[in-house]
Amino acid sequence: MKIITSIEELRDQLRGQLRTAFVPTMGNLHEGHLSLMRLARRHGDPVVASIFVNRLQFGPNEDFDKYPRTLQADVEKLEKEGVYVLFAPTEKELYPEPQEYRVRPPDDLGNILEGEFRPGFFTGVTTVVLKLFSCVQPRVAVFGKKDYQQLMIVRNMAKQFALPTEIIAAETWRAEDGLALSSRNSYLSEQERAEAPQLYRLLNDVADEVRGGHLDVFELERKAMARLAGRGWKPDYISIRKRADLQPPSAGDLANGEPLVVVAAARLGNTRLIDNLEI
């Protein structure tokens, strides 16, 4: 595997490649990330991964400085997966001057759910993703469904800008007890780690209620929030939304069987966890 830190060298290395498959990450790789690499290999060749902790998507009181950085361990994992190039730029390489041009998603998608609780987050995400796409110029790029709203925003961005990159969705990778794998899971204490799978169990219970014909969405959301809070969590949202645009379903949508997803974000101790489940 070639480890490349400069944009110029990356473009030289990939010049002429027409089937590049790309997986952008912030490092501290786990089995979920590695499953993205395997999916990428099925859709293109060569596989390029990136590791870059993107300051633009962190709020002023978030965990940019303490976000886990484990480059050597990440390199070993990527080599075992047959990744061809790891692009690991410094902040100065990717942002040699202040990034004043930014990509802002539309408010009706970018300012709801995660966007409401993390203002500016998706602007930071779309800006760095567009810049990484410009550097790598992939034919396909793989994003996980765990970040459901992010996946939708990136897919819509690629469509609206007519980017020559197909966005591939990868299923959420879970531990045996159901907890969605995340780099931030390492922040959990032993006791919190034992409690964390309750979030996924709650999503399954909400989904079962909807499938069983319980269509009072607001009541289901309210009860789910109260249940988590009763266990000591601090929920930001638990919300049933339409898969198509992440807007709340109308009574007609519910009656007509509109495909839905239940999305959630909640703090357990000092760790903020997100998850979702398609219904």
Side-chain angles (χ1 to χ4, degrees):
M1 182 176 73
K2 298 180 184 299
I3 302 174
I4 294 176
T5 58
S6 82
I7 296 171
E8 183 179 2
E9 184 184 352
L10 177 72
R11 286 176 171 159
D12 284 344
Q13 186 66 46
L14 296 177
R15 187 165 286 116
Q17 300 283 2
L18 301 178
R19 299 186 61 252
T20 301
F22 179 44
V23 185
T25 83
M26 293 205 302
N28 192 32
L29 304 181
H30 50 66
E31 190 62 30
H33 292 113
L34 302 182
S35 71
L36 304 184
M37 308 299 164
R38 295 172 205 137
L39 182 59
R41 195 184 310 120
R42 295 208 300 270
H43 286 273
D45 180 62
V47 175
V48 176
S50 68
I51 292 177
F52 181 70
V53 183
N54 177 40
R55 186 186 297 270
L56 294 188
Q57 68 195 65
F58 287 79
N61 298 313
E62 294 186 337
D63 57 343
F64 175 78
D65 290 326
K66 71 170 186 174
Y67 193 86
R69 293 160 170 85
T70 55
L71 183 61
Q72 187 53 49
D74 294 343
V75 165
E76 293 171 5
K77 291 173 183 176
L78 293 175
E79 285 178 333
K80 289 179 181 177
E81 294 299 331
V83 170
Y84 175 61
V85 167
L86 168 60
F87 180 45
T90 63
E91 196 166 27
K92 187 68 174 175
E93 177 68 19
L94 206 58
Y95 300 131
E97 57 188 56
Q99 187 69 36
E100 294 169 342
Y101 286 82
R102 302 196 183 192
V103 181
R104 179 182 168 187
D107 290 347
D108 61 354
L109 184 56
N111 288 349
I112 62 172
L113 302 171
E114 281 297 281
E116 178 183 349
F117 288 91
R118 302 183 69 188
F121 170 67
F122 288 120
T123 295
V125 168
T126 48
T127 299
V128 77
V129 168
L130 185 62
K131 195 157 193 177
L132 288 169
F133 282 3
S134 175
C135 297
V136 178
Q137 299 184 23
R139 189 187 70 82
V140 301
V142 180
F143 290 80
K145 280 189 178 181
K146 185 180 82 73
D147 298 284
Y148 203 90
Q149 189 175 3
Q150 173 179 280
L151 168 66
M152 179 175 290
I153 285 173
V154 169
R155 180 172 275 158
N156 289 357
M157 178 186 74
K159 178 182 177 183
Q160 288 206 3
F161 280 111
L163 302 180
T165 302
E166 178 187 358
I167 307 302
I168 305 292
E171 296 298 327
T172 301
W173 197 275
R174 299 184 181 278
E176 288 187 7
D177 58 10
L179 177 64
L181 296 195
S182 168
S183 297
R184 289 187 170 96
N185 290 353
S186 62
Y187 299 159
L188 296 168
S189 68
E190 185 176 347
Q191 182 177 0
E192 290 166 348
R193 176 61 186 81
E195 169 67 19
Q198 289 294 333
L199 183 61
Y200 184 54
R201 292 172 197 157
L202 180 69
L203 295 182
N204 276 281
D205 290 346
V206 171
D208 286 344
E209 290 269 16
V210 174
R211 293 186 192 108
H214 189 149
L215 300 182
D216 188 337
V217 166
F218 298 110
E219 182 188 11
L220 289 175
E221 294 172 348
R222 181 183 58 79
K223 285 185 174 179
M225 293 272 283
R227 180 171 146 193
L228 263 194
R231 300 185 65 93
W233 295 64
K234 296 178 181 176
D236 284 343
Y237 59 84
I238 300 170
S239 192
I240 299 164
R241 298 295 175 110
K242 294 188 289 183
R243 288 189 216 173
D245 56 12
L246 290 184
Q247 296 302 307
S250 67
D253 293 328
L254 295 168
N256 293 328
E258 174 78 22
L260 304 172
V261 60
V262 54
V263 292
R267 288 190 181 278
L268 181 57
N270 293 321
T271 307
R272 188 173 185 273
L273 302 177
I274 66 170
D275 204 348
N276 65 80
L277 185 65
E278 292 180 331
I279 303 174

